[in-house]
Amino acid sequence: KDEKDEDMKTGSCRQESMMVAACKGLGGGKMEIPDGYPKELDTRVLPYAIEIWSDKVTARYIGAGNHANDHGSVRTDLHIPTAQSVYYFEVFIKNAGKKGNIAVGFSTAEFDLSRQVGTHARSWGYRCDIG
C-alpha cells in the first residue's frame, strides 16, 4: 500500500504537520471548531514545496531541502480572531525528515510561503534548531 493512503486512514495518527489550527480534544479526538476560526489549510495560494492533501489538514514537504533557503510554509483558511486574547493551536509532526528542520509559528497574510516562519519579517516562530 502507498504510505500516503495508509496515513489518510489512520485517523488521529495521520500527519497533521504544520496545521496551525488543529483543535483537538483529549485523547486525540477532534473538537468542533466554532465559526470564524481557522478550520483547514488555505489552498487558494499553493505554497512552495508543500503538498496539501485532500483533507486540507495534512501537509507534507516535498522540496529538495538542499540549502538553507529551501523552505515551504502553509497557512490556514482564516486568520486568528483579533478579539481573542489567548489562542491555542497544536501540530503533530509525524516525520521531521533527515535534517529535522521544522519551524512552527504565525505570520501575516503577506508572508512569503517560500520562507520559514520566525526567520523573516511578518512572522514569529519556534525553530527546532535554536528553540
Side-chain angles (χ1 to χ4, degrees):
K1 285 186 177 180
D2 184 290
E3 182 180 277
K4 180 177 174 179
D5 291 338
E6 191 62 34
D7 284 344
M8 294 297 286
K9 295 176 184 174
T10 58
S12 64
C13 295
R14 72 177 174 229
Q15 180 180 3
E16 293 181 5
S17 174
M18 299 184 217
M19 178 52 186
V20 178
C23 291
K24 292 184 173 186
L26 297 174
K30 290 207 176 209
M31 297 174 12
E32 186 165 328
I33 302 170
D35 289 338
Y37 285 79
K39 295 182 179 161
E40 61 189 26
L41 296 173
D42 186 357
T43 57
R44 293 172 291 182
V45 177
L46 295 177
Y48 168 80
I50 299 288
E51 174 185 64
I52 297 176
W53 293 4
S54 60
D55 65 3
K56 294 187 179 181
V57 296
T58 306
R60 182 173 65 162
Y61 176 74
I62 57 172
N66 289 332
H67 53 79
N69 292 321
D70 192 3
H71 304 291
S73 296
V74 294
R75 69 173 50 107
T76 56
D77 59 337
L78 297 172
H79 60 80
I80 298 169
T82 55
Q84 193 72 36
S85 60
V86 176
Y87 187 77
Y88 171 81
F89 75 97
E90 188 174 310
V91 295
F92 173 76
I93 309 297
K94 181 177 179 181
N95 182 343
K98 292 178 185 176
K99 296 180 183 177
N101 292 333
I102 301 287
V104 177
F106 298 94
S107 70
T108 64
E110 297 81 23
F111 180 72
D112 182 351
L113 294 177
S114 69
R115 303 293 181 212
Q116 187 180 55
V117 293
T119 61
H120 294 277
R122 297 183 295 277
S123 73
W124 304 264
Y126 294 98
R127 293 176 38 196
C128 69
D129 58 340
I130 61 172

